[in-house]
Amino acid sequence: MLQKLERKKMVVTGDYASAYGALLCDVDVVAAYPITPQTYIVEDFSTFVNDGLTDAEFIKVESEHSAMSACIAAEAAGARTFTATASQGLALMHEMLFVAAGLHMPIVMPVVNRTVASPIGIWCEYNDSMPQRDTGWIQMSCETNQEVLDMIIQAYKIGEHKDVLLPVMPCLDAFILSHTVEPVDAPSSDEVREFLPPYEPKVILDTKNPMAIGSFSPPEYIQEVRYQNERSMQNAKKVIKKVTEEFASYFGRDYYGLIEEYRCDDADVVLVTTGTVTGTAREVVDEMRQEGKKVGLVKLRFYRPFPKEELQKIGEHVNAIGVYDRSISFGSGGPLFIETRSALYGYSIPILNFLAGLGGRDVTKRDIRKMFDYIIKAASEGKAKKEIIWIGTRGVEE
């Protein structure tokens, strides 16, 4: 049972925004295991429980693998569940991510993007969440702490939709959001309850109606199960658009579905970004527009499901596209570049990949401007001299 919470403006970290978003959603079970820079999410929620704001079951487990196992078990019993992790913790959880998605359990788990060893680092990098793209989870990246709170709320609405029933992984940048305070407008618990009704699971474990879930299955059935998961992921595209529209009508903040376009209507070239770098890129777009350069920005909010159709529409009227990645698929470039290039297969425009900010290095306005300069040059020449460019990397020629 959730205590009544009034609408309020807060100045909070991204971790607190994650925990408070889960509180507003009246979750039933939280499985908690610490890892920097996620720890404050579950710590903050434990404070909510201690202070009597919620009677949610708070389970302290012995590992991230156990955290996801506990959420799966609770979800199977009909509970709305929540956990959080980062980096090596997400890697340890990898096995159980497939189980949650395969059983169509709409668990919500914010991931604070952090470097994966080796070498050991605690700063922002997307090499923890990007390898999870094929586990069957819906995945998205947040730009601000306001978006973090709002997307926790939307994540339950999306994942619990009858045509989706998939777990959701909102991601936020380590320290840039997780430990940095920003103003956040928090809706009241009554407002959230009206937007997000209590969870009504479609199938639950019931001693009066015994069943087995996730049991052994022969090859005759597994391919159909995979197809059902794929269909759910495809259904999520329409549901995401609908939920963001509903959220905008309820709370006045519009996130525009799978992507957000900025000054793209008449753009000659565009840069695709994700996460907090997007805010920096917006400023660069405005500056270059004042210089008469027709540049645009595409904020990639969701990368599972991947917004193939939206990017294809943009590709039809621009002369070149650049894709920013804060992770690397070794030997092939950045993951978002690989997927964007695949989505635009058959298009004759140059597509460039910019690798920057790995390991938590700052990505500056100068770096973004350099990316746009490369894209503009490729557009003018009709091809890119180099397809994959490491920005600001010592010992590497750009």
Side-chain angles (χ1 to χ4, degrees):
M1 183 68 181
L2 176 65
Q3 296 297 313
K4 185 179 180 66
L5 302 171
E6 299 298 332
R7 180 191 296 187
K8 61 181 178 179
K9 184 178 286 289
M10 310 182 294
V11 180
V12 296
T13 66
D15 278 359
Y16 189 93
S18 298
Y20 198 80
L23 177 67
L24 287 171
C25 292
D26 196 12
V27 298
D28 302 304
V29 175
V30 175
Y33 191 80
I35 182 172
T36 301
Q38 171 279 127
T39 304
Y40 285 125
I41 296 179
V42 291
E43 276 191 6
D44 288 334
F45 200 93
S46 73
T47 302
F48 301 151
V49 175
N50 182 70
D51 293 347
L53 296 178
T54 174
D55 62 356
E57 190 73 25
F58 189 84
I59 308 172
K60 294 178 287 185
V61 295
E62 68 273 16
S63 73
E64 290 86 359
H65 188 283
S66 299
M68 185 50 56
S69 298
C71 285
I72 289 169
E75 197 83 29
R80 178 177 282 166
T81 64
F82 179 80
T83 188
T85 191
S87 190
Q88 276 82 234
L90 182 59
L92 180 59
M93 200 184 277
H94 181 72
E95 174 190 1
M96 301 312 295
L97 299 183
F98 288 97
V99 178
L103 293 177
H104 291 273
M105 294 180 168
I107 300 163
V108 172
M109 177 177 66
V111 168
V112 184
N113 289 123
R114 169 193 150 177
T115 306
V116 179
S118 174
I120 296 173
I122 59 172
W123 295 275
C124 181
E125 187 178 272
Y126 298 164
N127 264 19
D128 56 353
S129 61
M130 288 296 172
Q132 316 305 329
R133 300 192 314 284
D134 295 334
T135 58
W137 283 61
I138 294 170
Q139 292 178 288
M140 60 84 59
S141 187
C142 299
E143 180 186 353
T144 65
N145 290 347
Q146 181 71 67
E147 189 170 7
V148 170
L149 185 144
D150 292 346
M151 283 314 303
I152 297 296
I153 298 169
Q154 292 183 52
Y156 283 107
K157 183 97 168 179
I158 293 165
E160 292 173 1
H161 192 282
K162 63 181 179 62
D163 293 333
V164 179
L165 294 176
L166 290 176
V168 187
M169 187 186 298
C171 297
L172 56 151
D173 289 3
F175 297 102
I176 306 170
L177 291 183
S178 67
H179 286 60
T180 302
V181 295
E182 293 180 348
V184 172
D185 288 318
S188 70
S189 54
D190 288 343
E191 289 173 316
V192 173
R193 188 178 181 87
E194 184 180 348
F195 174 76
L196 177 71
Y199 179 38
E200 295 184 3
K202 305 306 175 195
V203 178
I204 61 172
L205 293 176
D206 183 358
T207 56
K208 297 178 182 178
N209 182 28
M211 70 177 74
I213 64 171
S215 56
F216 181 86
S217 180
E220 285 80 2
Y221 301 101
I222 292 178
Q223 185 161 314
E224 284 70 27
V225 172
R226 299 289 179 260
Y227 172 76
Q228 289 172 350
N229 275 78
E230 166 65 11
R231 186 175 59 187
S232 292
M233 187 64 75
Q234 293 298 330
N235 290 344
K237 293 182 178 182
K238 292 183 180 179
V239 173
I240 289 166
K241 293 176 183 177
K242 181 180 179 182
V243 168
T244 53
E245 289 172 358
E246 290 179 4
F247 189 89
S249 67
Y250 270 82
F251 304 108
R253 293 185 292 276
D254 195 346
Y255 291 100
Y256 307 101
L258 284 83
I259 67 170
E260 179 183 341
E261 299 180 37
Y262 184 69
R263 308 192 75 163
C264 288
D265 290 345
D266 63 340
D268 293 329
V269 302
V270 297
L271 176 65
V272 178
T273 63
T274 190
T276 54
V277 166
T278 305
T280 307
R282 265 199 203 89
E283 292 187 19
V284 175
V285 167
D286 289 340
E287 291 173 1
M288 297 185 76
R289 280 284 181 159
Q290 290 178 357
E291 298 166 8
K293 299 173 182 177
K294 291 186 176 181
V295 299
L297 177 68
V298 176
K299 174 183 173 181
L300 193 69
R301 299 188 62 247
F302 285 81
Y303 48 94
R304 278 296 178 274
F306 195 76
K308 176 181 177 181
E309 293 80 8
E310 287 80 357
L311 290 175
Q312 287 176 339
K313 288 180 181 178
I314 292 169
E316 290 173 358
H317 63 79
V318 298
N319 298 322
I321 290 179
V323 181
Y324 162 74
D325 271 288
R326 204 164 200 154
S327 58
I328 174 72
S329 181
F330 296 106
S332 297
L336 298 180
F337 164 69
I338 295 168
E339 301 214 12
T340 301
R341 183 175 56 181
S342 174
L344 297 176
Y345 176 76
Y347 287 63
S348 59
I349 59 174
I351 305 171
L352 291 75
N353 187 201
F354 303 106
L355 298 168
L358 277 69
R361 185 174 298 182
D362 289 337
V363 182
T364 66
K365 290 170 68 174
R366 181 180 178 183
D367 294 330
I368 300 294
R369 180 175 283 270
K370 190 180 293 185
M371 295 178 196
F372 273 116
D373 288 341
Y374 275 112
I375 305 169
I376 292 170
K377 185 176 180 181
S380 65
E381 297 177 353
K383 62 179 181 179
K385 183 178 179 181
K386 285 181 70 174
E387 192 176 54
I388 300 171
I389 303 164
W390 290 76
I391 299 293
T393 309
R394 289 188 295 274
V396 178
E397 183 181 353
E398 293 183 0

